[in-house]
Amino acid sequence: ERQVKVAACELLHGMALLMVGSGAHHHSSRAQFYKLYKHVFPALLRLACDIESVARQLFEPLVLQLIHWFTKNVHYENEETMNLLDAIVDAVGCQDNGALRDFAARCLGEFLLWSLKHSGGKKGKAGEEESINVRSLFKRLYSLAHHPDPYRRFGCALTMNEVYRTFRENERVVDVFVLEMAKNMLFSLRLCDRDEHSVGTADAITKVLRSLARIIAHYAPLLSKPSKTRREFEALEHFLEWLLQESARPERASRCAAMRMLERLCPLVRGCSGVRAWMQR
C-alpha cells in the first residue's frame, strides 16, 4: 500500500538522519552504526531511484548529502565511508535496474568531486596532494573493470564517463592515475570480446578510452617526466611501449583501441612525428 510505504520511507529517512547526527556529535558511538550502515546504505540507494515519487524526493538529496558528509574522513579506508562507497559500487553494477546504475554512477562522480574538495590541496608525506578517497574509489573501479560480469564492467564505464570532467581538471590526480586508468580500461575491453553486443559494454569502454586519450594528450608534457608516484608506468614512454605490446592482442576491440591510442600519442613524444619515427628511435 502506498500510504504504508510512504510512512516507512519517512521513518527510514528520520532514522538515517539520527544515526548520522549521533555519530557526528558522539565520536565514541560511531562504531555502533557500522554494521547498520551496511544494510541501510543499499536501501537508501534503491529508494533514491524508486518509482514512488515521495521516496525519490526524500532519498535522492539525502544520499547526495551523505556523500558530502562521509567524504570528510581523514583516515584511509575509513569504515563508514567505505560502507557507503561499497554500497554505491555494488549498485553501479546492478544487472536488473538501469535507473539504479545511472544514479550510482552519478553518486560516484559526486564522491570524487567532494573528496577532492575536502582534501583542500593538503600535502602528504611525500609532498603530494592527499587523495585517500580517490585511491579507494579507483581501486574499486579497477575491480569492476576486471570483473567477468559485463554489467559490472558497464557500470565501471558509466562511472568513468561520469567522473571525466572532475578528473581532467585536477592535475595532481591526473598525473598519478590517468595512465593506470587507461591500462585497466584496455584490460576491461579485452574481456568484452565474448560479451553480448546488446549490453553495450564495449562501446561504453571505447568512449572512456577516447576521453582518457584526450586527457593524456593534454597533459603529455607532465606525463613525459618520470614520476615515482605513478604505480603502473613511471612515464608516458613506458605506457607507449606497453601499448605497442597490446596492439598485438588477439581481441579485436582491445587491439584496435590500443592502435588508435598509440597513433594519437606517439606524435606527442619529443622528437617524434608519428608511430614509425617513435619505433625507429
Side-chain angles (χ1 to χ4, degrees):
E1 293 182 8
R2 183 176 185 272
Q3 189 174 359
V4 175
K5 183 175 182 177
V6 169
C9 286
E10 291 173 345
L11 175 61
L12 179 59
H13 186 274
M15 290 175 62
L17 292 177
L18 177 63
M19 287 189 291
V20 174
S22 298
H25 288 89
H26 306 285
H27 294 286
S28 60
S29 65
R30 292 179 70 178
Q32 72 186 32
F33 299 121
Y34 168 67
K35 292 184 178 179
L36 285 175
Y37 282 142
K38 279 189 173 181
H39 301 283
V40 170
F41 288 151
L44 299 184
L45 286 163
R46 287 191 171 272
L47 288 168
C49 51
D50 195 81
I51 57 174
E52 171 58 57
S53 60
V54 174
R56 289 198 309 275
Q57 291 167 9
L58 283 173
F59 292 105
E60 182 177 340
L62 175 63
V63 169
L64 297 177
Q65 289 164 4
L66 289 174
I67 292 170
H68 302 168
W69 174 255
F70 282 110
T71 48
K72 289 181 177 181
N73 62 298
V74 295
H75 300 294
Y76 181 60
E77 295 283 317
N78 173 269
E79 288 182 342
E80 293 178 337
T81 305
M82 293 307 106
N83 270 344
L84 178 59
L85 179 58
D86 288 337
I88 302 172
V89 169
D90 286 341
V92 86
C94 181
Q95 294 188 14
D96 55 3
N97 192 333
L100 180 60
R101 277 198 305 271
D102 292 341
F103 180 67
R106 177 185 164 198
C107 287
L108 290 174
E110 199 79 1
F111 189 92
L112 175 62
L113 175 63
W114 281 84
S115 293
L116 293 174
K117 281 186 176 182
H118 290 315
S119 73
K122 292 180 289 186
K123 301 292 180 179
K125 292 181 181 179
E128 61 189 58
E129 184 180 341
E130 288 292 348
S131 53
I132 52 175
N133 287 334
V134 177
R135 293 202 303 272
S136 298
L137 171 60
F138 287 143
K139 180 174 73 173
R140 285 158 175 79
L141 289 180
Y142 298 156
S143 178
L144 289 180
H146 290 233
H147 203 282
D149 185 352
Y151 286 97
R152 290 196 173 270
R153 282 182 271 117
F154 182 64
C156 176
L158 282 178
T159 303
M160 292 295 191
N161 284 318
E162 187 70 33
V163 305
Y164 168 68
R165 291 185 179 179
T166 302
F167 177 75
R168 71 180 180 185
E169 300 300 329
N170 192 297
E171 182 179 298
R172 182 62 207 161
V173 176
V174 169
D175 183 30
V176 175
F177 293 104
V178 70
L179 296 180
E180 69 178 49
M181 189 183 293
K183 177 185 177 181
N184 281 279
M185 295 312 295
L186 274 167
F187 181 87
S188 186
L189 190 58
R190 278 162 49 191
L191 299 179
C192 296
D193 207 46
R194 297 180 181 179
D195 289 350
E196 289 288 338
H197 184 71
S198 59
V199 178
T201 309
D203 293 337
I205 294 174
T206 301
K207 181 180 177 182
V208 173
L209 288 168
R210 286 198 298 266
S211 299
L212 292 177
R214 287 195 295 270
I215 295 176
I216 295 172
H218 180 75
Y219 287 98
L222 173 66
L223 297 171
S224 296
K225 301 174 184 176
S227 173
K228 295 294 184 181
T229 60
R230 302 182 194 128
R231 293 176 292 186
E232 295 286 350
F233 308 99
E234 285 192 12
L236 180 59
E237 185 83 15
H238 302 146
F239 178 66
L240 294 177
E241 292 171 1
W242 179 81
L243 279 179
L244 183 61
Q245 297 174 4
E246 289 296 298
S247 65
R249 286 281 178 184
E251 296 87 0
R252 183 176 180 275
S254 176
R255 182 176 68 248
C256 293
M259 288 178 177
R260 286 193 298 269
M261 192 171 282
L262 191 66
E263 186 177 7
R264 174 161 191 175
L265 298 179
C266 278
L268 302 175
V269 177
R270 189 173 183 180
C272 295
S273 58
V275 178
R276 177 175 293 185
W278 174 75
M279 293 181 67
Q280 288 175 345
R281 194 189 69 167

